[in-house]
Protein backbone atom coordinates (compact mmCIF):
# COMPACT_ATOMS: atom_id res chain seq x y z
CA UNK A 1 0.00 0.00 0.00
CA UNK A 2 1.58 3.27 -1.06
CA UNK A 3 1.33 6.36 1.04
CA UNK A 4 0.05 9.66 -0.36
CA UNK A 5 2.57 11.58 1.72
CA UNK A 6 5.81 12.54 0.00
CA UNK A 7 8.92 10.68 1.03
CA UNK A 8 10.99 12.32 3.73
CA UNK A 9 13.99 14.14 2.28
CA UNK A 10 17.28 12.43 2.88
CA UNK A 11 20.95 13.10 2.34
CA UNK A 12 21.64 16.19 0.25
CA UNK A 13 18.17 17.67 0.73
CA UNK A 14 18.47 17.52 4.52
CA UNK A 15 21.93 19.06 4.40
CA UNK A 16 20.79 21.90 2.14
CA UNK A 17 17.73 22.51 4.30
CA UNK A 18 19.90 22.87 7.40
CA UNK A 19 22.29 25.23 5.58
CA UNK A 20 19.61 27.43 4.01
CA UNK A 21 19.42 29.98 6.86
CA UNK A 22 23.22 30.42 6.85
CA UNK A 23 23.29 30.70 3.06
CA UNK A 24 20.49 33.27 3.10
CA UNK A 25 22.14 35.38 5.81
CA UNK A 26 25.52 35.11 4.13
CA UNK A 27 24.19 36.15 0.74
CA UNK A 28 22.22 39.06 2.23
CA UNK A 29 25.18 40.32 4.27
CA UNK A 30 27.49 39.90 1.28
CA UNK A 31 25.12 41.86 -0.96
CA UNK A 32 24.83 44.67 1.61
CA UNK A 33 28.62 44.79 1.99
CA UNK A 34 29.09 44.91 -1.79
CA UNK A 35 26.65 47.82 -2.14
CA UNK A 36 28.34 49.66 0.74
CA UNK A 37 31.83 49.14 -0.71
CA UNK A 38 30.63 50.38 -4.06
CA UNK A 39 29.24 53.59 -2.58
CA UNK A 40 32.24 54.19 -0.30
CA UNK A 41 34.57 53.57 -3.24
CA UNK A 42 32.65 56.05 -5.36
CA UNK A 43 32.91 58.74 -2.68
CA UNK A 44 36.61 57.98 -2.17
CA UNK A 45 37.19 58.54 -5.89
CA UNK A 46 35.19 61.79 -5.77
CA UNK A 47 37.38 62.93 -2.87
CA UNK A 48 40.55 61.99 -4.73
CA UNK A 49 39.35 63.88 -7.79
CA UNK A 50 38.54 66.96 -5.72
CA UNK A 51 41.98 66.81 -4.09
CA UNK A 52 43.61 66.68 -7.54
CA UNK A 53 41.53 69.64 -8.78
CA UNK A 54 42.43 71.63 -5.65
CA UNK A 55 46.14 70.92 -6.10
CA UNK A 56 45.99 71.88 -9.77
CA UNK A 57 44.22 75.17 -8.99
CA UNK A 58 46.80 75.98 -6.31
CA UNK A 59 49.61 75.09 -8.73
CA UNK A 60 48.03 77.26 -11.46
CA UNK A 61 48.16 80.28 -9.15
CA UNK A 62 51.76 79.43 -8.14
CA UNK A 63 50.79 78.79 -4.54
CA UNK A 64 52.19 75.26 -4.51
CA UNK A 65 54.51 73.25 -6.68
CA UNK A 66 53.78 69.55 -7.08
CA UNK A 67 56.48 67.13 -8.22
CA UNK A 68 54.17 64.70 -10.03
CA UNK A 69 57.03 62.39 -11.02
CA UNK A 70 57.89 61.98 -7.34
CA UNK A 71 54.21 61.37 -6.47
CA UNK A 72 54.08 58.68 -9.16
CA UNK A 73 57.31 57.10 -7.90
CA UNK A 74 55.95 57.00 -4.32
CA UNK A 75 52.48 55.74 -5.26
CA UNK A 76 53.61 53.15 -7.82
CA UNK A 77 54.75 50.42 -5.38
CA UNK A 78 51.64 50.88 -3.19
CA UNK A 79 49.33 50.59 -6.18
CA UNK A 80 51.17 47.51 -7.48
CA UNK A 81 51.03 45.85 -4.05
CA UNK A 82 47.35 46.72 -3.69
CA UNK A 83 46.59 45.27 -7.10
CA UNK A 84 48.42 42.04 -6.27
CA UNK A 85 47.40 41.55 -2.64
CA UNK A 86 44.45 43.87 -2.03
CA UNK A 87 41.69 41.60 -3.27
CA UNK A 88 42.95 38.59 -1.34
CA UNK A 89 43.43 40.67 1.82
CA UNK A 90 39.94 42.16 1.58
CA UNK A 91 38.41 38.72 1.03
CA UNK A 92 40.24 37.30 4.07
CA UNK A 93 39.17 40.31 6.15
CA UNK A 94 35.49 40.17 5.19
CA UNK A 95 35.10 36.38 5.45
CA UNK A 96 37.10 35.76 8.64
CA UNK A 97 35.23 33.38 10.98
CA UNK A 98 32.19 33.23 8.69
CA UNK A 99 30.68 29.76 8.32
CA UNK A 100 28.87 31.01 5.20
CA UNK A 101 31.83 32.57 3.37
CA UNK A 102 30.81 31.12 0.00
CA UNK A 103 27.32 32.64 0.11
CA UNK A 104 28.80 35.89 1.44
CA UNK A 105 31.27 36.08 -1.45
CA UNK A 106 28.54 35.43 -4.01
CA UNK A 107 26.36 38.11 -2.41
CA UNK A 108 29.32 40.51 -2.28
CA UNK A 109 29.97 40.11 -5.99
CA UNK A 110 26.30 40.68 -6.76
CA UNK A 111 26.26 43.74 -4.49
CA UNK A 112 29.29 45.23 -6.23
CA UNK A 113 27.52 44.86 -9.59
CA UNK A 114 24.04 45.94 -8.43
CA UNK A 115 22.53 49.20 -9.63
CA UNK A 116 21.11 50.27 -6.27
Amino acid sequence: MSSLLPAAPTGVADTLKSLLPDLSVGALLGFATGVALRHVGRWALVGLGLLFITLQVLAYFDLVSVNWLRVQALAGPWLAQGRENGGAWLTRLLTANLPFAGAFTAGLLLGLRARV
Side-chain angles (χ1 to χ4, degrees), residues 31-114:
F31 183 80
T33 302
V35 170
L37 284 174
R38 191 163 181 236
H39 287 299
V40 167
R42 182 176 291 143
W43 284 108
L45 289 175
V46 167
L48 184 62
L50 289 173
L51 176 63
F52 173 72
I53 291 169
T54 302
L55 283 174
Q56 285 300 99
V57 168
L58 292 173
Y60 177 79
F61 289 110
D62 288 325
L63 296 172
V64 297
S65 176
V66 181
N67 184 348
W68 289 112
L69 294 176
R70 181 71 177 137
V71 171
Q72 183 180 8
L74 288 173
W78 284 10
L79 293 175
Q81 183 180 7
R83 182 179 62 239
E84 294 167 5
N85 300 327
W89 174 81
L90 185 62
T91 302
R92 280 194 317 273
L93 173 79
L94 293 176
T95 59
N97 299 320
L98 286 183
F100 43 80
F104 178 87
T105 303
L108 176 70
L109 294 175
L110 287 173
L112 287 171
R113 296 189 49 98

Side-chain angles (χ1 to χ4, degrees), residues 22-35:
D22 284 342
L23 293 176
S24 299
V25 170
L28 178 66
L29 291 175
F31 183 80
T33 302
V35 170

